[in-house]
């Protein structure tokens, strides 16, 4: 089991943003989170990543019990979990190569191996001509691809992605979804929040968890879903 969430609730002050959420995700499963703006998708992903504390209900991610997670364990959790968040900033003054390489440097990967891995993922993201460009000079979509490359380069067991194709045009969105699907084929688990029908249609075998005002209203195969918006 990659993720197990049991009766999880979360509040910002008096506002309960997640209410009694339960679901689990098997190793290698692809799960979409959908629901209107404000439904709680980002909050749920942030809880799963240890960016917000779990104090109502329980959550287990990649073998870590989030309720009992110590501060010093957060980096260990994050080595297993790749995160693509819109507010997860790359370092603007460093190059594309350096931003991606960082994820492997913290794991102590030897340099020749690291360089091969970084070059391969940078190429897969269509950024090979920008490898040595400073990130702040890239377009929004290019920067987003750098963030995605960084989160995937270390082959995480689980990828959490919050609207990862939000700034990208149709062709790039399809290209990026192919990359996510490749990871999925190799056995990586994925949870992706999205509003986009096109993105949902890219992974017909995925499960869809539909949130409405902080509650799960449907948990189903896409074919059974009437209306995901
Ligand atoms: N730091 C915060 N402080 C207070 N309220 C917050 C905070 N973050 C989110 N909220 C509130 O929690 C609710 C859920 O927000 P969340 O970002 O999880 O929604 P979402 O489903 O990701 O929406 P969107 O599709 O617009 O990204 C919203 O009502 C939001 O205003
Ligand atoms: Mg959101």
């Amino acid at each position: 089991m990659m993720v197990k969430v049991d009766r999880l609730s979360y509040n910002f002050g008096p506002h309960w943003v997640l209410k009694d959420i339960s679901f689990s995700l098997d190793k290698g499963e692809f799960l979409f989170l959908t629901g209107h703006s404000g439904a709680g998708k980002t909050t749920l992903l942030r809880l799963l990543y240890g960016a917000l504390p779990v104090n109502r209900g329980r959550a287990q991610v990649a073998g870590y019990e989030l309720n009992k997670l110590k501060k010093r364990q957060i980096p260990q959790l994050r080595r297993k979990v790749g995160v693509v968040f819109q507010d997860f900033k790359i370092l603007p003054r460093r190059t594309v190569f350096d931003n991606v390489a960082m994820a492997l440097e913290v794991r102590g990967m030897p340099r020749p191996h690291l360089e091969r891995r970084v070059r391969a993922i940078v190429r897969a993201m269509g950024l090979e001509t920008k490898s040595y460009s400073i990130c702040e000079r890239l377009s929004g979509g290019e920067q987003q691809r750098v963030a995605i490359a960084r989160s995937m380069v270390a082959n995480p067991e689980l990828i959490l992605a919050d609207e990862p194709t939000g700034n990208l045009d149709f062709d790039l969105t399809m290209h990026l979804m192919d990359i996510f699907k490749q990871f999925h084929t190799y056995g990586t688990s994925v949870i992706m929040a999205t509003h986009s029908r096109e993105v949902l249609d890219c992974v017909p075998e995925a499960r869809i968890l539909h949130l409405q005002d902080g509650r799960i209203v449907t948990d189903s195969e896409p074919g059974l879903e009437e209306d995901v918006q």
Side-chain angles (χ1 to χ4, degrees):
M1 195 70 75
M2 187 52 60
V3 175
K4 187 162 176 36
V5 170
D6 192 29
R7 308 207 65 176
L8 179 69
S9 296
Y10 193 80
N11 63 305
F12 289 107
H15 183 187
W16 287 89
V17 171
L18 293 175
K19 301 162 190 159
D20 225 11
I21 301 285
S22 300
F23 69 95
S24 52
L25 184 80
D26 280 334
K27 281 205 167 81
E29 223 182 338
F30 200 120
L31 178 75
F32 282 119
L33 277 180
T34 70
H36 61 78
S37 179
K41 304 180 293 295
T42 298
T43 304
L44 178 55
L45 290 173
R46 293 179 72 202
L47 282 159
L48 297 180
Y49 185 52
L52 293 172
V54 172
N55 40 36
R56 257 315 172 92
R58 293 178 55 182
Q60 223 179 56
V61 175
Y64 289 89
E65 190 80 52
L66 298 189
N67 310 63
K68 298 176 190 152
L69 199 68
K70 308 247 184 337
K71 265 225 167 74
R72 61 178 169 80
Q73 290 177 309
I74 291 180
Q76 297 165 21
L77 169 72
R78 291 185 182 176
R79 275 177 206 185
K80 296 193 169 190
V81 182
V83 179
V84 186
F85 275 23
Q86 278 172 350
D87 61 357
F88 207 72
K89 290 281 179 264
I90 51 178
L91 300 177
R93 290 175 198 280
R94 304 283 294 274
T95 64
V96 170
F97 187 96
D98 286 349
N99 265 283
V100 178
M102 260 175 6
L104 298 178
E105 280 162 1
V106 299
R107 291 168 173 82
M109 185 178 284
R111 198 68 196 181
H113 188 188
L114 173 149
E115 287 180 3
R116 265 200 311 278
R117 285 276 284 279
V118 173
R119 274 201 296 273
I121 192 99
V122 165
R123 198 180 322 118
M125 292 293 163
L127 291 169
E128 63 270 44
T129 62
K130 305 275 177 177
S131 279
Y132 301 102
S133 303
I134 304 296
C135 284
E136 67 186 357
R137 296 192 197 138
L138 302 178
S139 74
E142 286 165 346
Q143 293 189 24
Q144 198 162 354
R145 278 180 280 155
V146 175
I148 292 167
R150 193 181 58 183
S151 72
M152 290 183 166
V153 70
N155 283 331
E157 293 175 26
L158 170 68
I159 296 175
L160 302 177
D162 196 3
E163 304 266 5
T165 58
N167 287 329
L168 306 178
D169 62 29
F170 181 79
D171 287 349
L172 264 178
T173 296
M174 292 302 126
H175 176 66
L176 202 67
M177 288 309 293
D178 279 341
I179 292 169
F180 276 103
K181 276 163 65 178
Q182 251 179 53
F183 273 85
H184 171 48
T185 307
Y186 296 145
T188 310
S189 313
V190 181
I191 304 182
M192 183 181 294
T194 186
H195 282 113
S196 159
R197 181 79 251 180
E198 282 159 358
V199 168
L200 294 175
D201 288 343
C202 284
V203 194
E205 70 276 23
R207 233 169 84 204
I208 299 182
L209 208 74
H210 186 50
L211 285 178
Q212 196 174 319
D213 292 327
R215 286 185 200 281
I216 294 177
V217 288
T218 42
D219 179 351
S220 70
E221 310 294 324
L224 305 174
E225 193 86 4
E226 286 292 303
D227 175 18
V228 296
Q229 281 303 323

